[in-house]
Amino acid sequence: MFDFDHCAFRYRIHDLAVIKLSFPELVFQGALKGYEHIRTLKSVEKDCINLYSDILMFKKFSDIFNMLEITGADENEKQLIAHNAYHTLKDIIAY
């Protein structure tokens, strides 16, 4: 269910935010319950999961744009991919 090659030290809510972005709400709630069975989150951490999820979405968009710069994509290709990425991320956030 989770890609462990990204394991690292970071905010405790990072993995939960990724799950929130990647799976239906029911799965997220199950993961949150399981996580808190082992380690309770502070209320401020719970309050920040949605905001942190949004930040991750913007970061992913930035990563895509940087990849296009590195690969030397022409302007038309950059615009097409950026447009598609924007609409995909927008659809995911609306989900």
Side-chain angles (χ1 to χ4, degrees):
M1 175 169 136
F2 202 77
D3 189 357
F4 286 101
D5 70 330
H6 292 114
C7 290
F9 291 103
R10 63 180 121 226
Y11 297 112
R12 295 182 342 137
I13 62 170
H14 179 85
D15 294 338
L16 292 169
V18 170
I19 292 169
K20 184 161 187 64
L21 289 172
S22 304
F23 295 96
E25 183 65 21
L26 194 59
V27 173
F28 167 71
Q29 290 300 325
L32 179 61
K33 183 178 178 181
Y35 187 96
E36 288 206 289
H37 181 74
I38 303 298
R39 179 178 290 165
T40 304
L41 290 170
K42 298 174 185 175
S43 62
V44 69
E45 290 174 309
K46 281 186 193 179
D47 292 343
C48 289
I49 291 174
N50 287 334
L51 176 61
Y52 191 78
S53 296
D54 291 345
I55 291 168
L56 289 177
M57 291 300 272
F58 285 111
K59 174 70 173 115
K60 190 54 63 183
F61 186 77
S62 173
D63 291 346
I64 291 167
F65 200 76
N66 288 337
M67 177 196 65
L68 292 172
E69 288 293 317
I70 292 169
T71 61
D74 66 30
E75 286 305 311
N76 289 334
E77 188 176 12
K78 287 178 190 177
Q79 287 179 2
L80 177 63
I81 292 173
H83 176 78
N84 290 340
Y86 171 79
H87 286 287
T88 299
L89 295 174
K90 186 176 169 186
D91 289 344
I92 291 170
I93 290 171
Y95 175 70

